[in-house]
Amino acid sequence: MTAAQLTAARRRKLTAVFAAAGIALGAAACSSSAGGVPGPGALSYGSVRSTAEKLQQDKQDTCPFGLDLGKALQAAGIPGTVTPDHEYGHAVQGSVGDGLPPQPWPSGASHPPAMPSIPATPPHADVICAYQVGTARLDLELFAVPQPDVAVNLLLPGIQRAAGLPVAALQQVATEQPGPGQTRLLGSKGTAALARIAHQGEGDIVLMLSQNPSTGEPDQALTGEPLRKAAAALVDQLH
């Protein structure tokens, strides 16, 4: 099973509950009116999905959409040699999902009276590019959905894992999401940065750059404000 398949399997198990909580917590805070404005050639949900579908058949080590982590790290003042991570065969993985209809809550689970079932989740497309930078692994994830203002909510399980967030901090992420064109550092250790991408058409696209927690203690050179700057530089590369 590939890294993307593992990620998708974990997300299928966890997304519905987290999405329900995230949508309920974040609905009032989400807005697509702030931040950058999509320009010519901006990404769309369709372009991310078609690329993710192609990556399922055509494996490669070059991140799509012009994303160059080495240049982004240089722009952020982070030293180190960047190499593709081949732990799962290829550095770049793509996955897609067709969404889920409303689901019953797990037996014994408490839920808001106004939410008798777990809300439906939309289709999604996911592109993950994995790199080694020194002894650390950096994951670059581009996640897209065809519905506005829900991508962060659906990515909450991955955000929690990447940033090492307790539940209260995860709730804060859901309610204080970055607007289009904004990049935000996550977690007290600063091991993840999240950006919402200005895009064309309907939908929502986010980019997350994070240290993979499975590699042990985080590399401090790849945390905090430098990591946020690197994520912002990646956003500027997108085309």
Side-chain angles (χ1 to χ4, degrees):
M1 184 175 287
T2 67
Q5 289 170 330
L6 286 169
T7 299
R10 286 193 294 266
R11 185 170 290 129
R12 280 193 295 270
K13 293 178 182 178
L14 295 173
T15 287
V17 175
F18 275 98
I23 290 169
L25 288 165
C30 294
S31 171
S32 59
S33 62
V37 176
L43 294 188
S44 67
Y45 167 72
S47 64
V48 177
R49 186 173 180 103
S50 63
T51 297
E53 290 173 337
K54 290 177 183 177
L55 286 170
Q56 292 180 317
Q57 305 299 324
D58 181 20
K59 306 297 184 182
Q60 63 182 49
D61 291 333
T62 302
C63 209
F65 305 114
L67 292 167
D68 186 324
L69 182 62
K71 290 182 179 179
L73 294 182
Q74 289 179 0
I78 300 175
T81 301
V82 177
T83 57
D85 187 293
H86 293 131
E87 182 178 356
Y88 296 98
H90 290 82
V92 182
Q93 306 283 339
S95 68
V96 297
D98 294 325
L100 292 170
Q103 302 288 316
W105 291 96
S107 178
S110 60
H111 58 83
M115 196 179 293
S117 62
I118 297 173
T121 56
H124 72 267
D126 207 7
V127 175
I128 299 175
C129 307
Y131 302 93
Q132 285 292 138
V133 183
T135 60
R137 171 172 159 166
L138 280 183
D139 290 337
L140 192 172
E141 182 168 8
L142 195 65
F143 183 73
V145 293
Q147 261 180 237
D149 299 331
V150 298
V152 174
N153 300 324
L154 294 175
L155 202 59
L156 287 176
I159 290 171
Q160 183 180 41
R161 179 172 178 267
L165 297 178
V167 172
L170 194 65
Q171 291 175 339
Q172 186 174 7
V173 172
T175 56
E176 299 177 5
Q177 300 182 14
Q182 296 177 346
T183 305
R184 189 167 296 169
L185 194 65
L186 304 174
S188 59
K189 294 183 178 180
T191 54
L194 183 71
R196 179 171 257 124
I197 308 302
H199 61 277
Q200 288 184 340
E202 288 295 319
D204 196 15
I205 305 174
V206 294
L207 180 149
M208 183 167 68
L209 180 64
S210 62
Q211 285 199 57
N212 191 305
S214 66
T215 57
E217 287 299 313
D219 183 337
Q220 295 303 312
L222 298 168
T223 63
E225 182 61 11
L227 185 71
R228 191 202 65 78
K229 288 181 177 179
L234 287 168
V235 173
D236 290 341
Q237 294 173 357
L238 285 166
H239 63 264

